[in-house]
Amino acid sequence: MKPILYFVVPCYNEQEVLPVSCRLFTDKLSSLIASGVISDKSRVLFVDDGSRDNTCALIKEFAEKNGLVCALKLSRNRGHQNALLAGLMAAKDRCDIAISLDCDGQDDINAADEMIKQYLDGCDIVYGVRKNRKTDSAFKRGSAQLFYKLLNAMGAETVYNHADYRLLSKRALAALGEYKEVNLYLRGMTSLVGFKSTCVYYDRTERLAGESKYTFGKMISLALDGITSFTVKPIRIITAVGFVIAIISFIGIIWSVVARLAGDTVSGWASTVAIICFLGGIQILSIGVIGEYIGKIYLETKHRPRYTVEQEINMQ
Ligand code: UDP
Ligand code: MG
């Protein structure tokens, strides 16, 4: 049986680039179908993320003209990660493989061949990794590198230079569907899913048309989600700082008492310093401890699956 492939493409205000990229994606799909690699039930699934321009009308037009195109329209702009998840979850029960990619043509569609090959060789997740960042502005390059380093230092697993161009098998999609969290950072979540994975390298080109829809605010918010959804290390840092300050404070108390006994202080100084040090140390340490519990509650409220079974062997 040939696998059914869905290209899942979130779009937000992309009227300039859509006519070009839709043609690119459907041509690719047709050639893959023609060469017998994938089933003719394969589709390009566009997700209109509450666009304000002509995007939705354009997608409807494509779907009428070309049976390979289907689409979802979100009721309002929910952001790239939510739109992508909506598409993946809709594709989950309809396809054997989903490849998510941006609609601006920056993700080289020809890398899909290698991704499918890796899937046929037994991989459930194939990460599209860009070879370099030459086509990015100096700012985007710098901020992205800083972000990956920060995320790794904080202990969250990420594939370096991988954005959201990736292939997911049916069972990887099903496992991803078990993650019920609201603050999405799909790259991190896919790493948590597990299964056999590999990387495919591609050259990321400039946008074919239009402008980036990732505003500075959206970039910061994605970065914050990446860190706060995947690690409670910032809280650990507060606890550690609290602990160090508490120790220094207690040394401060001893020092003030010794200085008092040595007699070289004005009256009232030692008791004042001792109280300030004591309260300061206790407070910061306590905030850290409370933070630890809040961190645990946060992780619990995500209701993440505790495990994903890959295979059952000789189970009756
Ligand atoms: N996008 C979306 N909703 C948003 C912002 C972006 O669906 O609120 C889509 C956008 O249409 C594109 C993809 O996410 O297909 C990546 O956005 P963009 O190319 O603007 O980001 P960049 O490549 O500049 O980081
Ligand atoms: Mg882009």
Side-chain angles (χ1 to χ4, degrees):
M1 270 279 278
K2 289 174 201 162
I4 302 175
L5 166 70
Y6 267 55
F7 282 124
V8 179
V9 191
C11 314
Y12 178 56
N13 293 345
E14 298 282 12
Q15 61 180 18
E16 290 90 4
V17 79
L18 258 181
V20 192
S21 50
C22 180
R23 151 69 53 99
L24 213 63
F25 301 154
T26 46
D27 283 355
K28 184 78 207 172
L29 207 62
S30 306
S31 81
L32 284 168
I33 294 172
S35 57
V37 182
I38 54 171
S39 153
D40 58 4
K41 292 203 186 81
S42 301
R43 296 284 179 272
V44 176
L45 168 62
F46 287 109
V47 183
D48 171 31
D49 184 17
S51 300
R52 281 160 222 256
D53 65 357
N54 235 354
T55 299
C56 190
L58 275 174
I59 293 176
K60 278 186 187 150
E61 199 184 307
F62 299 147
E64 269 165 29
K65 286 192 191 141
N66 190 336
L68 292 179
V69 177
C70 60
L72 288 181
K73 177 185 181 333
L74 300 193
S75 58
R76 50 164 295 200
N77 181 234
R78 296 295 299 135
H80 174 224
Q81 299 286 296
N82 287 307
L84 183 52
L85 186 71
L88 291 174
M89 289 305 109
K92 175 166 73 89
D93 304 319
R94 298 178 166 90
C95 71
D96 300 305
I97 352 172
I99 296 184
S100 53
L101 74 170
D102 291 357
C103 81
D104 55 6
Q106 285 195 283
D107 300 328
D108 178 14
I109 188 82
N110 291 317
D113 298 271
E114 181 59 24
M115 287 183 170
I116 298 168
K117 194 167 159 280
Q118 295 293 343
Y119 164 78
L120 295 172
D121 280 350
C123 285
D124 282 276
I125 302 175
V126 186
Y127 298 102
V129 177
R130 54 195 299 178
K131 285 185 191 150
N132 56 55
R133 287 191 167 264
K134 275 187 225 143
T135 48
D136 274 354
S137 67
F139 172 72
K140 189 133 193 168
R141 193 160 52 223
S143 57
Q145 263 154 11
L146 184 75
F147 172 61
Y148 282 114
K149 290 215 172 96
L150 193 66
L151 209 59
N152 274 335
M154 293 282 180
E157 263 182 62
T158 44
V159 178
Y160 192 64
N161 270 348
H162 160 67
D164 281 297
Y165 187 20
R166 80 178 79 81
L167 175 149
L168 293 168
S169 69
K170 195 178 189 73
R171 65 175 183 170
L173 284 169
L176 189 67
E178 295 294 313
Y179 286 74
K180 305 292 182 202
E181 56 205 81
V182 176
N183 297 297
L184 296 179
Y185 184 66
L186 290 170
R187 313 163 200 186
M189 289 160 67
T190 339
S191 303
L192 288 184
V193 163
F195 294 130
K196 189 174 174 203
S197 66
T198 188
C199 296
V200 161
Y201 297 86
Y202 71 100
D203 278 314
R204 196 167 163 96
T205 49
E206 307 246 3
R207 243 177 185 275
L208 294 176
E211 274 165 13
S212 174
K213 304 300 175 300
Y214 255 95
T215 54
F216 185 65
K218 281 185 175 167
M219 256 164 66
I220 296 283
S221 136
L222 180 71
L224 283 179
D225 271 344
I227 293 172
T228 55
S229 296
F230 281 85
T231 155
V232 286
K233 227 173 187 171
I235 295 176
R236 290 272 145 78
I237 294 172
I238 296 179
T239 315
V241 169
F243 191 68
V244 171
I245 292 186
I247 288 179
I248 296 174
S249 303
F250 291 124
I251 294 173
I253 294 173
I254 296 168
W255 166 64
S256 65
V257 171
V258 170
R260 173 75 185 85
L261 292 178
D264 50 0
T265 59
V266 285
S267 139
W269 174 85
S271 50
T272 313
V273 167
I275 289 168
I276 291 173
C277 287
F278 180 74
L279 286 181
I282 291 286
Q283 273 173 3
I284 297 182
L285 188 60
S286 311
I287 289 174
V289 172
I290 294 170
E292 285 288 321
Y293 284 97
I294 294 179
K296 291 275 184 314
I297 295 169
Y298 176 58
L299 292 179
E300 290 286 343
T301 54
K302 284 179 190 283
H303 294 299
R304 280 182 178 165
R306 274 159 287 188
Y307 50 80
T308 304
V309 176
E310 177 162 348
Q311 209 177 13
E312 290 189 352
I313 299 156
N314 208 12
M315 296 278 291
Q316 298 299 317

